[in-house]
Amino acid sequence: MSDKNNYNNIDELLSSILNDSRSVQSGGDSAEQVTAREAVKAEPDDVSKTSVISTAVRLDNEIDEDDVSGQTNVFNFGTFQSHNGHTVAVSYDKEDEESSVQEEKQPRKKKKKKRRKKNYTAFGGIVLATFVLCASILISLFIIVVIRDVLGIENNDNEFTIYIEEGSSTWDIADQLYDEGVIQYKEVFVVFARIMGADGNMYPGDLDVAYNMSYADIIDDLMEARESKETVTITFIEGITLYEAAQLLDNNGVCDADEFIYTFNSTTFGYDYEQYVSSESLKLYKYEGFLFPDTYEFYVGDTAYNVAKKIRERTDDILTSDVIARAEEIGYSLEDVIILASIVQKEAGSTDDMASVASVFINRLNNPEQYPRLQSDATTAYIDNIITQVMTVSSQSMCDAYDTYTCLGLPVGAICNPGEDAINAVLYADETDYYYFCTAPETGVAYFASTYDEHVASCELLGIM
């Protein structure tokens, strides 16, 4: 078959495809199209070897199937194949098939969502503004506190006297005022002194101060020459009572006895031991037992506050955190230790016997079923000599609360102010099985007993029973 005939056949094929396309749109099928579809359906196995069959398929009786079969259409409409004596144009693209299969096998990758970058500018601005605001408030509060202290805006107007030693520098004076609680900011005080021209121009000697004094007033007083006040030395012996100590202060012209007792029992100075002192209503004096016996130097005509502060400060030197911890270790409160030490102080004839005397009372406290009462004569003496003398109206309830022949366990409060030896005797008492003791009136020697019969024998020996 010539090339010309092939071209003619191709033209006819194109015309047929165009006609078929129009036929589909119009809804009608030609006879040749029907015959072609039936032929393809007849043998599906042969056709299945090909790819997707082109929608444009027709039979052409005029095409030589020997020449055309297996040849590719120059217009790339497909490959011509022989089918039941007819030449069929089939669309087949192997590369398209392989790519299509691979696309089906390979799952589509999900596109990652791009994270939106957060804008921290606003958040940072809020944080910065908050920080600046808080800092401003703190600085303002600090300034207010400093100004209050500098101006002496303080409710406590209690006056007391301190002694400025010869040769004290401005910093030494600032340290002393700070330790006494008169000022809170040493550096500010030094700056004020320099501004006022007082640096190096402040006199030593006695200085009357109060917590509500301004820095300027203190510096003015320091720049004035002062005469030294008269002082007096007083010794409080171990076992002294508050009533007796107050009378001693009054007799030496230091301060009024009643004012001292009131101030000593009603004022707190911020010492740690104060939180362990109860406010039991049946107590005669709240802080009986917390006047540490020692030798003190007081100003004549001083204030009760100044005197009480000096004594209570010395007590704080004795009742340290170690003493408080030891009291808890042996199962007692600090106040319990002081109450028991006050009894030991009065009962023991000598310092050497104190630890054994303490063991007697501790053994009784640890065995309340058999020994519910301490039965100390020293407690009845406190009732007779102090409580009944001080109280204008008799209080049997208070007396019973102190009487260890009546009350159970420890009395409500201390009966005197014990010394350091008596306190340590309670904290580190001897381990004994003693429940009784008696003391020789002439020698002060103690006789200890584990049973009542032994105790009676000792008393008969000493002639005190």
Side-chain angles (χ1 to χ4, degrees), residues 164-189:
I164 306 299
E165 295 183 358
E166 184 78 30
S168 296
S169 66
T170 304
W171 276 106
D172 293 334
I173 296 173
D175 288 335
Q176 187 174 356
L177 293 171
Y178 177 82
D179 293 338
E180 293 288 346
V182 180
I183 66 173
Q184 299 298 324
Y185 305 97
K186 295 182 288 186
E187 296 81 0
V188 178
F189 178 84

mmCIF file of all heavy atoms in Angstrom, residues 164-189:
data_model
loop_
_atom_site.group_PDB
_atom_site.id
_atom_site.type_symbol
_atom_site.label_atom_id
_atom_site.label_comp_id
_atom_site.label_asym_id
_atom_site.label_seq_id
_atom_site.Cartn_x
_atom_site.Cartn_y
_atom_site.Cartn_z
ATOM 1 N N ILE A 164 28.528 56.729 125.729
ATOM 2 C CA ILE A 164 29.428 56.838 124.584
ATOM 3 C C ILE A 164 30.860 56.915 125.118
ATOM 4 O O ILE A 164 31.202 57.846 125.865
ATOM 5 C CB ILE A 164 29.099 58.086 123.728
ATOM 6 C CG1 ILE A 164 27.624 58.083 123.315
ATOM 7 C CG2 ILE A 164 30.010 58.132 122.510
ATOM 8 C CD1 ILE A 164 27.217 56.893 122.487
ATOM 9 N N GLU A 165 31.659 55.954 124.766
ATOM 10 C CA GLU A 165 33.014 55.895 125.303
ATOM 11 C C GLU A 165 33.917 56.947 124.668
ATOM 12 O O GLU A 165 33.678 57.414 123.542
ATOM 13 C CB GLU A 165 33.602 54.498 125.082
ATOM 14 C CG GLU A 165 32.888 53.395 125.849
ATOM 15 C CD GLU A 165 33.542 52.045 125.651
ATOM 16 O OE1 GLU A 165 34.535 51.977 124.886
ATOM 17 O OE2 GLU A 165 33.073 51.062 126.250
ATOM 18 N N GLU A 166 34.962 57.300 125.414
ATOM 19 C CA GLU A 166 35.954 58.252 124.938
ATOM 20 C C GLU A 166 36.654 57.697 123.702
ATOM 21 O O GLU A 166 37.027 56.527 123.655
ATOM 22 C CB GLU A 166 36.988 58.539 126.038
ATOM 23 C CG GLU A 166 38.025 59.579 125.689
ATOM 24 C CD GLU A 166 37.468 60.987 125.794
ATOM 25 O OE1 GLU A 166 36.560 61.218 126.614
ATOM 26 O OE2 GLU A 166 37.937 61.865 125.032
ATOM 27 N N GLY A 167 36.840 58.551 122.694
ATOM 28 C CA GLY A 167 37.534 58.142 121.483
ATOM 29 C C GLY A 167 36.670 57.411 120.465
ATOM 30 O O GLY A 167 37.185 56.888 119.467
ATOM 31 N N SER A 168 35.362 57.350 120.681
ATOM 32 C CA SER A 168 34.467 56.667 119.736
ATOM 33 C C SER A 168 34.359 57.464 118.441
ATOM 34 O O SER A 168 34.135 58.677 118.468
ATOM 35 C CB SER A 168 33.067 56.495 120.351
ATOM 36 O OG SER A 168 33.115 55.655 121.489
ATOM 37 N N SER A 169 34.527 56.798 117.316
ATOM 38 C CA SER A 169 34.365 57.438 116.014
ATOM 39 C C SER A 169 32.889 57.493 115.642
ATOM 40 O O SER A 169 32.028 56.940 116.347
ATOM 41 C CB SER A 169 35.137 56.660 114.946
ATOM 42 O OG SER A 169 34.559 55.371 114.769
ATOM 43 N N THR A 170 32.605 58.169 114.547
ATOM 44 C CA THR A 170 31.211 58.254 114.081
ATOM 45 C C THR A 170 30.654 56.866 113.798
ATOM 46 O O THR A 170 29.499 56.568 114.126
ATOM 47 C CB THR A 170 31.118 59.137 112.822
ATOM 48 O OG1 THR A 170 31.667 60.428 113.094
ATOM 49 C CG2 THR A 170 29.672 59.293 112.373
ATOM 50 N N TRP A 171 31.477 56.035 113.187
ATOM 51 C CA TRP A 171 31.039 54.658 112.898
ATOM 52 C C TRP A 171 30.836 53.869 114.190
ATOM 53 O O TRP A 171 29.902 53.054 114.281
ATOM 54 C CB TRP A 171 32.046 53.952 111.996
ATOM 55 C CG TRP A 171 31.849 54.245 110.552
ATOM 56 C CD1 TRP A 171 32.594 55.044 109.743
ATOM 57 C CD2 TRP A 171 30.795 53.732 109.721
ATOM 58 N NE1 TRP A 171 32.085 55.081 108.470
ATOM 59 C CE2 TRP A 171 30.982 54.282 108.420
ATOM 60 C CE3 TRP A 171 29.720 52.892 109.935
ATOM 61 C CZ2 TRP A 171 30.135 53.989 107.357
ATOM 62 C CZ3 TRP A 171 28.863 52.600 108.887
ATOM 63 C CH2 TRP A 171 29.074 53.151 107.608
ATOM 64 N N ASP A 172 31.690 54.079 115.198
ATOM 65 C CA ASP A 172 31.526 53.387 116.483
ATOM 66 C C ASP A 172 30.204 53.781 117.137
ATOM 67 O O ASP A 172 29.482 52.930 117.683
ATOM 68 C CB ASP A 172 32.692 53.725 117.424
ATOM 69 C CG ASP A 172 34.019 53.171 116.942
ATOM 70 O OD1 ASP A 172 33.989 52.153 116.205
ATOM 71 O OD2 ASP A 172 35.071 53.740 117.289
ATOM 72 N N ILE A 173 29.900 55.066 117.098
ATOM 73 C CA ILE A 173 28.639 55.541 117.667
ATOM 74 C C ILE A 173 27.455 54.975 116.893
ATOM 75 O O ILE A 173 26.439 54.573 117.487
ATOM 76 C CB ILE A 173 28.608 57.083 117.671
ATOM 77 C CG1 ILE A 173 29.715 57.621 118.584
ATOM 78 C CG2 ILE A 173 27.239 57.602 118.116
ATOM 79 C CD1 ILE A 173 29.875 59.132 118.527
ATOM 80 N N ALA A 174 27.577 54.942 115.568
ATOM 81 C CA ALA A 174 26.494 54.379 114.747
ATOM 82 C C ALA A 174 26.273 52.913 115.091
ATOM 83 O O ALA A 174 25.123 52.449 115.184
ATOM 84 C CB ALA A 174 26.828 54.555 113.272
ATOM 85 N N ASP A 175 27.361 52.163 115.261
ATOM 86 C CA ASP A 175 27.241 50.746 115.629
ATOM 87 C C ASP A 175 26.556 50.581 116.982
ATOM 88 O O ASP A 175 25.708 49.693 117.163
ATOM 89 C CB ASP A 175 28.626 50.088 115.675
ATOM 90 C CG ASP A 175 29.233 49.896 114.287
ATOM 91 O OD1 ASP A 175 28.455 49.815 113.316
ATOM 92 O OD2 ASP A 175 30.474 49.826 114.180
ATOM 93 N N GLN A 176 26.932 51.439 117.940
ATOM 94 C CA GLN A 176 26.342 51.341 119.265
ATOM 95 C C GLN A 176 24.856 51.677 119.230
ATOM 96 O O GLN A 176 24.029 50.990 119.857
ATOM 97 C CB GLN A 176 27.080 52.285 120.231
ATOM 98 C CG GLN A 176 26.646 52.139 121.681
ATOM 99 C CD GLN A 176 27.497 52.975 122.617
ATOM 100 O OE1 GLN A 176 28.469 53.616 122.208
ATOM 101 N NE2 GLN A 176 27.131 52.985 123.900
ATOM 102 N N LEU A 177 24.500 52.717 118.511
ATOM 103 C CA LEU A 177 23.080 53.077 118.385
ATOM 104 C C LEU A 177 22.292 51.990 117.668
ATOM 105 O O LEU A 177 21.129 51.718 118.015
ATOM 106 C CB LEU A 177 22.953 54.409 117.632
ATOM 107 C CG LEU A 177 23.485 55.652 118.352
ATOM 108 C CD1 LEU A 177 23.487 56.847 117.400
ATOM 109 C CD2 LEU A 177 22.636 55.959 119.588
ATOM 110 N N TYR A 178 22.913 51.376 116.682
ATOM 111 C CA TYR A 178 22.252 50.289 115.946
ATOM 112 C C TYR A 178 22.041 49.081 116.867
ATOM 113 O O TYR A 178 20.961 48.457 116.862
ATOM 114 C CB TYR A 178 23.102 49.902 114.738
ATOM 115 C CG TYR A 178 22.554 48.739 113.951
ATOM 116 C CD1 TYR A 178 21.542 48.917 113.012
ATOM 117 C CD2 TYR A 178 23.045 47.449 114.158
ATOM 118 C CE1 TYR A 178 21.030 47.847 112.297
ATOM 119 C CE2 TYR A 178 22.546 46.374 113.454
ATOM 120 C CZ TYR A 178 21.537 46.573 112.514
ATOM 121 O OH TYR A 178 21.034 45.502 111.817
ATOM 122 N N ASP A 179 23.065 48.714 117.641
ATOM 123 C CA ASP A 179 22.947 47.565 118.548
ATOM 124 C C ASP A 179 21.875 47.801 119.611
ATOM 125 O O ASP A 179 21.222 46.848 120.062
ATOM 126 C CB ASP A 179 24.294 47.293 119.221
ATOM 127 C CG ASP A 179 25.355 46.809 118.235
ATOM 128 O OD1 ASP A 179 24.963 46.297 117.168
ATOM 129 O OD2 ASP A 179 26.559 46.966 118.532
ATOM 130 N N GLU A 180 21.699 49.036 120.008
ATOM 131 C CA GLU A 180 20.677 49.358 121.008
ATOM 132 C C GLU A 180 19.288 49.465 120.389
ATOM 133 O O GLU A 180 18.293 49.620 121.101
ATOM 134 C CB GLU A 180 21.018 50.678 121.707
ATOM 135 C CG GLU A 180 22.269 50.631 122.567
ATOM 136 C CD GLU A 180 22.072 49.822 123.842
ATOM 137 O OE1 GLU A 180 20.907 49.516 124.182
ATOM 138 O OE2 GLU A 180 23.076 49.503 124.505
ATOM 139 N N GLY A 181 19.198 49.412 119.067
ATOM 140 C CA GLY A 181 17.904 49.500 118.396
ATOM 141 C C GLY A 181 17.401 50.910 118.205
ATOM 142 O O GLY A 181 16.228 51.124 117.841
ATOM 143 N N VAL A 182 18.275 51.904 118.445
ATOM 144 C CA VAL A 182 17.838 53.301 118.315
ATOM 145 C C VAL A 182 17.750 53.700 116.848
ATOM 146 O O VAL A 182 16.840 54.441 116.446
ATOM 147 C CB VAL A 182 18.817 54.234 119.068
ATOM 148 C CG1 VAL A 182 18.377 55.698 118.931
ATOM 149 C CG2 VAL A 182 18.906 53.835 120.536
ATOM 150 N N ILE A 183 18.698 53.248 116.039
ATOM 151 C CA ILE A 183 18.679 53.519 114.596
ATOM 152 C C ILE A 183 18.701 52.195 113.847
ATOM 153 O O ILE A 183 19.133 51.162 114.391
ATOM 154 C CB ILE A 183 19.868 54.405 114.154
ATOM 155 C CG1 ILE A 183 21.197 53.658 114.351
ATOM 156 C CG2 ILE A 183 19.862 55.729 114.895
ATOM 157 C CD1 ILE A 183 22.410 54.378 113.789
ATOM 158 N N GLN A 184 18.277 52.232 112.586
ATOM 159 C CA GLN A 184 18.237 51.024 111.769
ATOM 160 C C GLN A 184 19.189 51.082 110.581
ATOM 161 O O GLN A 184 19.471 50.052 109.971
ATOM 162 C CB GLN A 184 16.808 50.797 111.248
ATOM 163 C CG GLN A 184 15.774 50.615 112.338
ATOM 164 C CD GLN A 184 16.043 49.391 113.204
ATOM 165 O OE1 GLN A 184 16.499 48.365 112.707
ATOM 166 N NE2 GLN A 184 15.763 49.503 114.489
ATOM 167 N N TYR A 185 19.699 52.268 110.256
ATOM 168 C CA TYR A 185 20.529 52.423 109.062
ATOM 169 C C TYR A 185 21.799 53.204 109.432
ATOM 170 O O TYR A 185 21.785 54.439 109.508
ATOM 171 C CB TYR A 185 19.749 53.133 107.950
ATOM 172 C CG TYR A 185 18.457 52.446 107.631
ATOM 173 C CD1 TYR A 185 17.257 52.886 108.181
ATOM 174 C CD2 TYR A 185 18.433 51.317 106.816
ATOM 175 C CE1 TYR A 185 16.071 52.233 107.917
ATOM 176 C CE2 TYR A 185 17.245 50.653 106.552
ATOM 177 C CZ TYR A 185 16.068 51.112 107.102
ATOM 178 O OH TYR A 185 14.896 50.461 106.842
ATOM 179 N N LYS A 186 22.850 52.464 109.710
ATOM 180 C CA LYS A 186 24.105 53.067 110.160
ATOM 181 C C LYS A 186 24.705 53.984 109.106
ATOM 182 O O LYS A 186 25.211 55.075 109.422
ATOM 183 C CB LYS A 186 25.098 51.962 110.536
ATOM 184 C CG LYS A 186 24.662 51.132 111.730
ATOM 185 C CD LYS A 186 25.708 50.095 112.092
ATOM 186 C CE LYS A 186 25.742 48.981 111.062
ATOM 187 N NZ LYS A 186 26.662 47.891 111.495
ATOM 188 N N GLU A 187 24.669 53.543 107.849
ATOM 189 C CA GLU A 187 25.261 54.336 106.775
ATOM 190 C C GLU A 187 24.571 55.685 106.642
ATOM 191 O O GLU A 187 25.221 56.722 106.436
ATOM 192 C CB GLU A 187 25.207 53.567 105.451
ATOM 193 C CG GLU A 187 26.019 52.279 105.423
ATOM 194 C CD GLU A 187 25.317 51.115 106.074
ATOM 195 O OE1 GLU A 187 24.173 51.303 106.558
ATOM 196 O OE2 GLU A 187 25.898 50.011 106.103
ATOM 197 N N VAL A 188 23.254 55.686 106.756
ATOM 198 C CA VAL A 188 22.497 56.940 106.656
ATOM 199 C C VAL A 188 22.847 57.858 107.818
ATOM 200 O O VAL A 188 22.984 59.076 107.652
ATOM 201 C CB VAL A 188 20.988 56.643 106.627
ATOM 202 C CG1 VAL A 188 20.184 57.939 106.583
ATOM 203 C CG2 VAL A 188 20.631 55.763 105.431
ATOM 204 N N PHE A 189 23.015 57.278 109.006
ATOM 205 C CA PHE A 189 23.374 58.079 110.176
ATOM 206 C C PHE A 189 24.733 58.749 109.975
ATOM 207 O O PHE A 189 24.906 59.945 110.290
ATOM 208 C CB PHE A 189 23.401 57.204 111.429
ATOM 209 C CG PHE A 189 23.798 57.932 112.679
ATOM 210 C CD1 PHE A 189 22.866 58.639 113.415
ATOM 211 C CD2 PHE A 189 25.124 57.928 113.114
ATOM 212 C CE1 PHE A 189 23.238 59.329 114.569
ATOM 213 C CE2 PHE A 189 25.500 58.613 114.257
ATOM 214 C CZ PHE A 189 24.559 59.315 114.987
#
